[in-house]
Amino acid sequence: MELVVRHLREGIIDGTYQPESKLQPKLIAERCGTSFIPVREAFRILESEGFVTVFHNRGAWVSSMSVADLDDLYSIRTELECEAVRRASGFDEKKIDMLFDNLGAAQECYARGDHAEVVALNRDFHFAIYEMADSPRRLKLIEQLWLHSARYQRLSLHYRHDAASDEHRLIVECLRDGDHSAAAEALRSHLASTAELIRGAVEAASVKDRDEVAAAS
């Protein structure tokens, strides 16, 4: 069952299974090499996570995406993550250097067009900071929200890395100076600008979908 859950979750995040599309148990079972039972259990788990919506007698559907959901998602992320930054501690010279090295590596990857690695390094950067808050429960909630954020971020995968790098650098500089309140505010600004740019991609995708429906009718 874990294989099916992972297959579906990753497929929903990367767009293999499109928002509001019906999930076909037979096709999924064939892809995962399993029976229908693990697929049904996977639907139940992913429904609890918010990735799938199950309708009685109608089957399972990929949860929709919207600007309202994006705004709600980033609002919750902002509160959880900024508080994690305020509570974080233990940023010695070695830790600060590691964070700066991460930013340098991300810039190099972006320059050569390795966007997948940029995404991975971005996650490593943020969680290297959040882990220092020593709050496993908060970290788990943040991880879950990041999975949902990834659905939206793929709509704007090539967005504003240079600006993001500057915003990340400001966060590290504040942590280096021991000003965690300033670091939290720098993160708040970073998340707000990120959400605004992704919002534009979501709105553009919605317009494109409406145009395609109108053209087909």
mmCIF file of all heavy atoms in Angstrom, residues 71-89:
data_model
loop_
_atom_site.group_PDB
_atom_site.id
_atom_site.type_symbol
_atom_site.label_atom_id
_atom_site.label_comp_id
_atom_site.label_asym_id
_atom_site.label_seq_id
_atom_site.Cartn_x
_atom_site.Cartn_y
_atom_site.Cartn_z
ATOM 1 N N ASP A 71 -3.748 30.791 -1.102
ATOM 2 C CA ASP A 71 -3.617 31.828 -0.089
ATOM 3 C C ASP A 71 -3.720 31.242 1.322
ATOM 4 O O ASP A 71 -2.968 31.622 2.228
ATOM 5 C CB ASP A 71 -4.692 32.900 -0.288
ATOM 6 C CG ASP A 71 -4.441 33.751 -1.524
ATOM 7 O OD1 ASP A 71 -3.300 33.732 -2.026
ATOM 8 O OD2 ASP A 71 -5.377 34.428 -1.995
ATOM 9 N N ASP A 72 -4.661 30.318 1.503
ATOM 10 C CA ASP A 72 -4.828 29.682 2.811
ATOM 11 C C ASP A 72 -3.593 28.870 3.168
ATOM 12 O O ASP A 72 -3.099 28.913 4.312
ATOM 13 C CB ASP A 72 -6.071 28.792 2.782
ATOM 14 C CG ASP A 72 -6.466 28.279 4.156
ATOM 15 O OD1 ASP A 72 -6.351 29.054 5.133
ATOM 16 O OD2 ASP A 72 -6.892 27.122 4.266
ATOM 17 N N LEU A 73 -3.072 28.140 2.198
ATOM 18 C CA LEU A 73 -1.890 27.306 2.403
ATOM 19 C C LEU A 73 -0.694 28.148 2.834
ATOM 20 O O LEU A 73 -0.010 27.825 3.817
ATOM 21 C CB LEU A 73 -1.583 26.557 1.105
ATOM 22 C CG LEU A 73 -0.334 25.691 1.039
ATOM 23 C CD1 LEU A 73 -0.389 24.588 2.089
ATOM 24 C CD2 LEU A 73 -0.188 25.095 -0.360
ATOM 25 N N TYR A 74 -0.441 29.237 2.121
ATOM 26 C CA TYR A 74 0.724 30.056 2.445
ATOM 27 C C TYR A 74 0.527 30.864 3.725
ATOM 28 O O TYR A 74 1.492 31.180 4.421
ATOM 29 C CB TYR A 74 1.095 30.953 1.266
ATOM 30 C CG TYR A 74 2.107 30.286 0.367
ATOM 31 C CD1 TYR A 74 1.710 29.354 -0.590
ATOM 32 C CD2 TYR A 74 3.466 30.537 0.498
ATOM 33 C CE1 TYR A 74 2.630 28.700 -1.387
ATOM 34 C CE2 TYR A 74 4.397 29.894 -0.295
ATOM 35 C CZ TYR A 74 3.977 28.980 -1.232
ATOM 36 O OH TYR A 74 4.908 28.326 -2.009
ATOM 37 N N SER A 75 -0.710 31.181 4.056
ATOM 38 C CA SER A 75 -0.978 31.855 5.317
ATOM 39 C C SER A 75 -0.593 30.961 6.502
ATOM 40 O O SER A 75 0.066 31.407 7.455
ATOM 41 C CB SER A 75 -2.456 32.238 5.407
ATOM 42 O OG SER A 75 -2.755 32.785 6.680
ATOM 43 N N ILE A 76 -0.981 29.699 6.421
ATOM 44 C CA ILE A 76 -0.659 28.756 7.497
ATOM 45 C C ILE A 76 0.841 28.474 7.523
ATOM 46 O O ILE A 76 1.465 28.439 8.592
ATOM 47 C CB ILE A 76 -1.454 27.450 7.316
ATOM 48 C CG1 ILE A 76 -2.950 27.732 7.377
ATOM 49 C CG2 ILE A 76 -1.070 26.436 8.392
ATOM 50 C CD1 ILE A 76 -3.810 26.556 6.955
ATOM 51 N N ARG A 77 1.432 28.272 6.346
ATOM 52 C CA ARG A 77 2.876 28.041 6.276
ATOM 53 C C ARG A 77 3.643 29.201 6.901
ATOM 54 O O ARG A 77 4.604 28.992 7.648
ATOM 55 C CB ARG A 77 3.313 27.881 4.813
ATOM 56 C CG ARG A 77 3.208 26.469 4.263
ATOM 57 C CD ARG A 77 3.924 26.378 2.925
ATOM 58 N NE ARG A 77 5.325 26.793 3.056
ATOM 59 C CZ ARG A 77 6.151 26.949 2.014
ATOM 60 N NH1 ARG A 77 5.717 26.735 0.785
ATOM 61 N NH2 ARG A 77 7.402 27.312 2.221
ATOM 62 N N THR A 78 3.222 30.401 6.589
ATOM 63 C CA THR A 78 3.928 31.577 7.089
ATOM 64 C C THR A 78 3.958 31.608 8.613
ATOM 65 O O THR A 78 5.010 31.848 9.227
ATOM 66 C CB THR A 78 3.281 32.866 6.546
ATOM 67 O OG1 THR A 78 3.400 32.879 5.122
ATOM 68 C CG2 THR A 78 3.959 34.098 7.118
ATOM 69 N N GLU A 79 2.817 31.343 9.233
ATOM 70 C CA GLU A 79 2.766 31.371 10.698
ATOM 71 C C GLU A 79 3.632 30.278 11.309
ATOM 72 O O GLU A 79 4.389 30.523 12.258
ATOM 73 C CB GLU A 79 1.315 31.243 11.179
ATOM 74 C CG GLU A 79 0.427 32.403 10.767
ATOM 75 C CD GLU A 79 1.028 33.753 11.129
ATOM 76 O OE1 GLU A 79 1.455 33.929 12.289
ATOM 77 O OE2 GLU A 79 1.089 34.634 10.243
ATOM 78 N N LEU A 80 3.544 29.077 10.765
ATOM 79 C CA LEU A 80 4.322 27.969 11.313
ATOM 80 C C LEU A 80 5.823 28.163 11.096
ATOM 81 O O LEU A 80 6.626 27.921 12.013
ATOM 82 C CB LEU A 80 3.879 26.656 10.663
ATOM 83 C CG LEU A 80 2.543 26.065 11.120
ATOM 84 C CD1 LEU A 80 2.153 24.901 10.221
ATOM 85 C CD2 LEU A 80 2.612 25.610 12.569
ATOM 86 N N GLU A 81 6.193 28.578 9.904
ATOM 87 C CA GLU A 81 7.612 28.655 9.566
ATOM 88 C C GLU A 81 8.300 29.864 10.189
ATOM 89 O O GLU A 81 9.452 29.769 10.626
ATOM 90 C CB GLU A 81 7.773 28.633 8.042
ATOM 91 C CG GLU A 81 7.336 27.299 7.446
ATOM 92 C CD GLU A 81 7.350 27.262 5.928
ATOM 93 O OE1 GLU A 81 8.253 27.876 5.318
ATOM 94 O OE2 GLU A 81 6.446 26.620 5.348
ATOM 95 N N CYS A 82 7.599 30.974 10.251
ATOM 96 C CA CYS A 82 8.205 32.151 10.881
ATOM 97 C C CYS A 82 8.428 31.918 12.377
ATOM 98 O O CYS A 82 9.445 32.329 12.940
ATOM 99 C CB CYS A 82 7.344 33.387 10.657
ATOM 100 S SG CYS A 82 7.388 34.004 8.962
ATOM 101 N N GLU A 83 7.485 31.245 13.009
ATOM 102 C CA GLU A 83 7.657 30.926 14.424
ATOM 103 C C GLU A 83 8.806 29.938 14.622
ATOM 104 O O GLU A 83 9.551 30.023 15.604
ATOM 105 C CB GLU A 83 6.364 30.358 15.000
ATOM 106 C CG GLU A 83 6.410 30.078 16.495
ATOM 107 C CD GLU A 83 6.656 31.318 17.339
ATOM 108 O OE1 GLU A 83 6.415 32.450 16.843
ATOM 109 O OE2 GLU A 83 7.089 31.165 18.498
ATOM 110 N N ALA A 84 8.971 29.008 13.671
ATOM 111 C CA ALA A 84 10.097 28.075 13.748
ATOM 112 C C ALA A 84 11.419 28.832 13.687
ATOM 113 O O ALA A 84 12.365 28.511 14.419
ATOM 114 C CB ALA A 84 10.015 27.060 12.608
ATOM 115 N N VAL A 85 11.490 29.846 12.831
ATOM 116 C CA VAL A 85 12.711 30.645 12.724
ATOM 117 C C VAL A 85 12.964 31.415 14.023
ATOM 118 O O VAL A 85 14.102 31.499 14.503
ATOM 119 C CB VAL A 85 12.625 31.621 11.531
ATOM 120 C CG1 VAL A 85 13.776 32.611 11.556
ATOM 121 C CG2 VAL A 85 12.634 30.848 10.223
ATOM 122 N N ARG A 86 11.911 31.962 14.609
ATOM 123 C CA ARG A 86 12.081 32.697 15.868
ATOM 124 C C ARG A 86 12.576 31.782 16.984
ATOM 125 O O ARG A 86 13.346 32.204 17.844
ATOM 126 C CB ARG A 86 10.760 33.357 16.268
ATOM 127 C CG ARG A 86 10.485 34.678 15.572
ATOM 128 C CD ARG A 86 9.282 35.386 16.162
ATOM 129 N NE ARG A 86 8.039 34.736 15.765
ATOM 130 C CZ ARG A 86 7.324 35.091 14.711
ATOM 131 N NH1 ARG A 86 7.743 36.089 13.928
ATOM 132 N NH2 ARG A 86 6.207 34.452 14.398
ATOM 133 N N ARG A 87 12.137 30.517 16.964
ATOM 134 C CA ARG A 87 12.491 29.590 18.029
ATOM 135 C C ARG A 87 13.807 28.864 17.773
ATOM 136 O O ARG A 87 14.358 28.230 18.679
ATOM 137 C CB ARG A 87 11.386 28.541 18.189
ATOM 138 C CG ARG A 87 10.061 29.103 18.669
ATOM 139 C CD ARG A 87 9.089 27.978 18.965
ATOM 140 N NE ARG A 87 7.809 28.466 19.422
ATOM 141 C CZ ARG A 87 6.903 27.721 20.045
ATOM 142 N NH1 ARG A 87 7.164 26.451 20.292
ATOM 143 N NH2 ARG A 87 5.758 28.238 20.434
ATOM 144 N N ALA A 88 14.297 28.926 16.558
ATOM 145 C CA ALA A 88 15.508 28.181 16.204
ATOM 146 C C ALA A 88 16.719 28.718 16.974
ATOM 147 O O ALA A 88 16.796 29.891 17.312
ATOM 148 C CB ALA A 88 15.746 28.276 14.704
ATOM 149 N N SER A 89 17.656 27.820 17.222
ATOM 150 C CA SER A 89 18.872 28.227 17.927
ATOM 151 C C SER A 89 20.031 27.338 17.481
ATOM 152 O O SER A 89 19.827 26.322 16.808
ATOM 153 C CB SER A 89 18.673 28.109 19.447
ATOM 154 O OG SER A 89 18.410 26.770 19.805
#
